[in-house]
Amino acid sequence: MARSDPPSRIHPEPRQTDHFDHLPDSILLLVFNKISDVKSLGRCCVVSRRFHSLVTQVENVLIRVDCVISDDDNSSLSSIKSRSAASGPFSNLFRLVVGGIVKPLQALGQFLGARRSCGSSSSSSSSLSISGDEGGEIEQGGVTHHSPTQVLKNFEEIRYLRIELPSGELGIDDGVLLKWRAEFGSTLDHCVILGASSVIQPSPTRVSQPVESSDDTGSIPESFYTNGGLKLRVVWTISSLIAASARHYLLQPIIAEHKTLRSLVLSDSDGQGVLCMNKDQLEELRVKPLSASSASKRTLVPALNMRLWYAPTLELPDGTVLKGATLVAIRPSESKKEVSDVLWVSSAAFGEPYKAAVKMLVKRKTYCLEMNSF
């Protein structure tokens, strides 16, 4: 008896339509720009040749850095594991100045020469890395890593680049608030630092109105100078500037490679520090090379003028209380930009409730300081 063919052979099912095939390139580019995350874009690249060609045209890119690994990790993994982490020179300096008040700086290895965890100890020179699926720059602990520079080399038209570190560089005690935001061209443009020795979170049932302090004059109490308060703020300022200038130094090859960049932001996942560069500042760096510090791989910080505002106690509108609230606004001594302090300091864009803290602090008495280049 003859065996008949199955119905599927006689009447094959029609091929399912891929709706993406009907979308114009401009729409797909809008989708890819919304995705922005470089790992997700990498997965899109392997879907089809069309996707691969379009991903390289993406303008908005986000890179989340997994860890920091030593540049020397190109050597054998066994030699890495046998090395001990080198202590950063600034860690030793701060430890000497303030003892146990501030934990030793845990900087990006290349920045301050300190240890950063990524499965092994790092030497005094390190780089940012992103774990990859195939190929790569460095293989460590069975995981292949790529540097941001390598990951971005196939992107042709990046305009808006965001890089997010796994955490801030500065190790501080629990309960201490330390946030900074800096803008750079070829050198530091300005930096705003907000700190507090402790933060008391609001009670869920309490409705509070802002009460700045019982010290109505806004003057700094004498105890601020004698109990280590001023010394601690100096450490906060120097360490924040070092972290910012180190991030700036790291960005040089990316800025040089991508001439289409209009905005670059290097932040961290815990919101400690943000470095920003706009189109004019990026172009300035390309035209006028930065001056590197001889002490470490970071941009030289110029001579500075600083303005400091302080409140022993600052109660914010949402009920959060900052003890020893301090705001420091920093600009190069030779800066010729005429901008009101309140305007550019208030635009530091700290999220709430800290944006309110900045606005409250700038109404208080201002103290001026100077700092030499370092």
Side-chain angles (χ1 to χ4, degrees):
M1 180 177 177
R3 185 175 180 182
S4 61
D5 289 334
S8 60
R9 288 192 180 181
I10 301 173
H11 303 288
E13 294 182 3
R15 181 175 176 268
Q16 290 187 348
T17 302
D18 186 347
H19 296 289
F20 276 101
D21 289 340
H22 298 288
L23 291 176
D25 288 353
S26 58
I27 298 298
L28 285 177
L29 275 173
L30 285 175
V31 173
F32 290 149
N33 275 299
K34 289 292 184 181
I35 292 173
S36 74
D37 178 68
V38 75
K39 289 185 181 179
S40 299
L41 291 174
R43 295 185 180 101
C44 292
C45 279
V46 301
V47 172
S48 67
R49 290 183 180 179
R50 185 189 182 205
F51 277 24
H52 186 280
S53 65
L54 289 174
V55 164
T56 63
Q57 302 174 43
V58 167
E59 298 180 350
N60 185 24
V61 176
L62 166 64
I63 293 181
R64 290 188 173 91
V65 174
D66 292 330
C67 58
V68 179
I69 54 182
S70 170
D71 290 336
D72 296 332
D73 288 349
N74 289 295
S75 60
S76 65
L77 184 60
S78 59
S79 65
I80 298 170
K81 291 183 177 179
S82 65
R83 288 198 303 264
S84 60
S87 297
F90 294 104
S91 291
N92 295 331
L93 171 63
F94 294 150
R95 210 179 285 118
L96 177 65
V97 173
V98 294
I101 298 178
V102 178
K103 295 178 180 177
L105 294 180
Q106 297 177 331
L108 303 175
Q110 179 175 343
F111 294 171
L112 303 184
R115 176 176 180 173
R116 195 66 166 165
S117 175
C118 182
S120 69
S121 298
S122 65
S123 69
S124 60
S125 179
S126 300
S127 59
L128 304 178
S129 70
I130 304 154
S131 62
D133 298 320
E134 297 178 4
E137 206 173 41
I138 300 169
E139 185 171 336
Q140 185 179 45
V143 178
T144 302
H145 297 280
H146 307 256
S147 71
T149 304
Q150 184 188 24
V151 169
L152 293 171
K153 67 181 181 181
N154 292 323
F155 288 90
E156 302 168 353
E157 300 183 24
I158 301 177
R159 297 193 178 191
Y160 310 99
L161 175 61
R162 293 169 293 151
I163 302 176
E164 184 179 285
L165 305 180
S167 62
E169 299 93 318
L170 310 179
I172 55 176
D173 291 324
D174 292 340
V176 173
L177 170 69
L178 181 58
K179 291 181 176 291
W180 59 266
R181 182 182 177 90
E183 291 196 15
F184 279 79
S186 61
T187 187
L188 179 69
D189 191 332
H190 63 258
C191 180
V192 179
I193 301 168
L194 177 65
S197 53
S198 66
V199 180
I200 303 173
Q201 298 298 333
S203 169
T205 59
R206 180 184 177 189
V207 178
S208 177
Q209 297 296 323
V211 179
E212 294 193 17
S213 174
S214 58
D215 180 9
D216 294 331
T217 66
S219 300
I220 295 178
E222 186 65 29
S223 59
F224 181 78
Y225 304 99
T226 59
N227 65 3
L230 178 60
K231 188 186 298 182
L232 177 59
R233 270 67 181 182
V234 170
V235 171
W236 286 352
T237 301
I238 294 175
S239 57
S240 297
L241 288 170
I242 288 174
S245 62
R247 292 187 186 187
H248 183 243
Y249 184 92
L250 183 73
L251 295 172
Q252 287 181 90
I254 295 175
I255 295 169
E257 181 76 18
H258 298 277
K259 302 285 197 269
T260 56
L261 271 176
R262 295 183 178 178
S263 172
L264 195 159
V265 177
L266 178 51
S267 60
D268 46 71
S269 60
D270 52 9
Q272 186 180 86
V274 179
L275 182 148
C276 301
M277 298 182 73
N278 60 32
K279 182 181 178 181
D280 292 337
Q281 292 164 336
L282 290 164
E283 189 58 34
E284 178 187 326
L285 179 57
R286 295 189 187 102
V287 175
K288 183 181 179 182
L290 59 79
S291 298
S293 169
S294 59
S296 60
K297 293 185 177 181
R298 61 176 178 82
T299 302
L300 183 70
V301 177
L304 304 170
N305 287 328
M306 300 187 293
R307 303 199 175 203
L308 182 146
W309 296 266
Y310 175 81
T313 301
L314 195 69
E315 186 172 346
L316 307 183
D318 72 339
T320 301
V321 177
L322 304 182
K323 295 290 187 180
T326 308
L327 178 67
V328 183
I330 304 166
R331 303 198 77 163
S333 301
E334 298 181 355
S335 176
K336 298 178 181 179
K337 295 181 179 180
E338 297 294 335
V339 184
S340 99
D341 289 334
V342 175
L343 178 63
W344 69 268
V345 174
S346 299
S347 67
F350 294 119
E352 293 293 3
Y354 305 118
K355 185 175 182 180
V358 171
K359 291 181 178 179
M360 294 169 67
L361 283 166
V362 293
K363 297 177 182 178
R364 301 179 64 81
K365 187 173 181 178
T366 306
Y367 292 81
C368 297
L369 304 92
E370 294 182 351
M371 182 176 291
N372 294 328
S373 174
F374 62 93

